[in-house]
Amino acid sequence: MPLFSPRKKKDGEDPARKEYVAAVAPEALEVREDSLAFPGGVLAPLSVRESGIPGTPNRPWTRIRPATFSGGGLPTLYSVAFKKEPPDAVRRGLRARRTIFDGFLQAAAERIGRRTTIAEQTVSRQLDIAESQIALGKPVYKATVLAGFFAPLEQGELALAARRAAESLLRAAGVVPQRLMYIPERALAHFQPGGQLFPGLDEATLLADELLPLLPRPERRVPPAEDAVFLGRHAGNGRDVYFSFSRGLDPSRPPPPHAISLVLGEPGSRKTTLMRWMMLQRLMQGNTIVSIDPEGENNALCRATGGKVVPAGVPEESDTCLLHPLQAESPDRMLLAARFLVSAIGGSAALSPGVTAALHDAVQRRWERRPNRPMSVADLVDSLASVPSPDAQAPMAWLRPYARGGLWDGFFDRPKALLEVKFEPGQWWNFDLSTLRPENRAVVHAVLTWFFYHAVTVGRQPMDIYIDESWRLLRSGPFADLLDELGRRARKRGVGIVLVTHLPEDLSRRATSLGMASTAFVGRMGVDDAHRLFRTMGISESEARARAQRVAQLPPGTFLVVPAGGRSALFPLSTVLPTEWLEFWRRLGATR
């Protein structure tokens, strides 16, 4: 039994219409009561009807905007067809309305003594004005407005929900929305190329100035910046949307104050897909990419593009460790590195005054013996052993398992290191945290902190940092503090930072990180979470409520873009990826 029933032909149809429908309408089409189902999606049509006298006060068209048919981020098409009416026909119609209206008022006054109301007097004056305007040559049009709301077949309820939202807005404006009950194929015949502009509906009569609100404003073309990446299309007007860490969404406007961007949304909103889309384009531009991957989902993609995967533990190669943390060009910097390493292993309380003094003596002794030479953890342990102080025993005990020959020497004390603070541009480093164990969590977080501090703050290396599931690291005190530090320095260092999370409340708790976010891409999430997010960004209460309702209805792959922390107009973005890239990801197992 086929999934879709063939479209039924109606007896007595016009042959030309039959030929047209047969040419443009697919046979695998299910005509439902008030919608159309195709093999790939659902179309929910809607028409707008209004009757009245041109120019009278009850004309609601000035209260309708193109945003009424936005569909909450869904693919939406609305069509307005105009037909200029002959002046004589309009004049005759107005005279007929005037005759009927005046006859009703006169009959009511003669038979029951009813006096005309203020509203009736206003309508009479407006009839005079409209008749005068037409006599002076003001054009009059008939208009048919049809809208179509689209959604994937398995998510057809989204299209119906978007139509219900548009119906509420239209009723509030004073017009009557119609769902084309039992004849939804009229919408298909209207939208298709060559379709009927006026498909037998009750057309509204409009004056020329009443047409303007129905027409979308002409959009200014926004050219991309030199370092911009293509994200997709504006879900409202269809223009291409580009994004640059340095220039934002529009290079003609002042640059964003900070280089931190947010990608938010519940699981399944395709925020990771958007992150990869940005990441790979920047990699193709020759930029250095550093990604933190809590689930190891980017490992295959990283290796396929020539990148390097950094494990959250000891590397598999017996002569390779994660990094050499004690390399420095001066004794004072070597002392800072030694203090950092001891505090990372032993905790922040480990650096007592006695321990700090012992580290100072050990580093000074080591530098005097071998100046300008790299120091290993084993060298630091040996140097501490020569310090005549009981405070040297504690750091020796903490460092000995990480020294060469210790149980955990694979972190710091092997001949080769995966991480270097100086590297060639155009490389991808993916930190795989999927194997992170609780006993190594503090050390691995310290490695990340050390790397970013020396690569960005000290080394001034330009790079893009992408942190997926960033809520995990935002709950780590040292790394969250480093993130704030990077955010302040990122723009001057040529660094772009993207935080991806489905838990925006973690960002709200750290107002510094969120306050420095210049751009946010908000995918589908709960109304309450979205409302708290927008309020934290400084958006007004009423607008935050409206935006939260809209975000809750976004389909996967559509994001509400909040430029510069909510200080500019928000707009829906529909992400667009080449099919070749998606197929490449699927072959690697990097996407569902």
Side-chain angles (χ1 to χ4, degrees), residues 260 262 449 452 465 467 470 473-474 476-490 497-499 507 510 512-514 516:
I260 291 183
L262 306 177
T449 304
F452 286 125
I465 302 172
I467 306 177
S470 58
L473 294 176
L474 286 172
S476 169
F479 192 85
D481 294 337
L482 175 71
L483 179 63
D484 292 338
E485 182 70 18
L486 290 178
R488 295 185 182 94
R489 301 174 183 264
I497 302 175
V498 177
L499 304 179
L507 297 170
R510 301 192 60 85
T512 50
S513 302
L514 186 59
M516 290 187 297

Side-chain angles (χ1 to χ4, degrees), residues 243 248-249 256 260-262 264 514 517-523 530 533-539 543 547-548 551 554 559-573:
F243 174 70
L249 296 158
I260 291 183
S261 301
L262 306 177
L264 308 169
L514 186 59
S518 61
T519 307
F521 302 90
V522 185
L533 174 68
F534 289 132
R535 289 295 291 148
T536 307
M537 289 180 170
I539 298 176
E543 186 177 356
R547 299 297 182 185
V551 164
L554 289 176
F559 297 85
L560 193 64
V561 181
V562 186
R567 293 186 292 272
S568 184
L570 283 64
F571 66 89
L573 164 71

Side-chain angles (χ1 to χ4, degrees), residues 12-23:
E13 281 187 329
D14 180 64
R17 183 174 184 276
K18 283 185 177 181
E19 182 181 357
Y20 166 73
V21 173

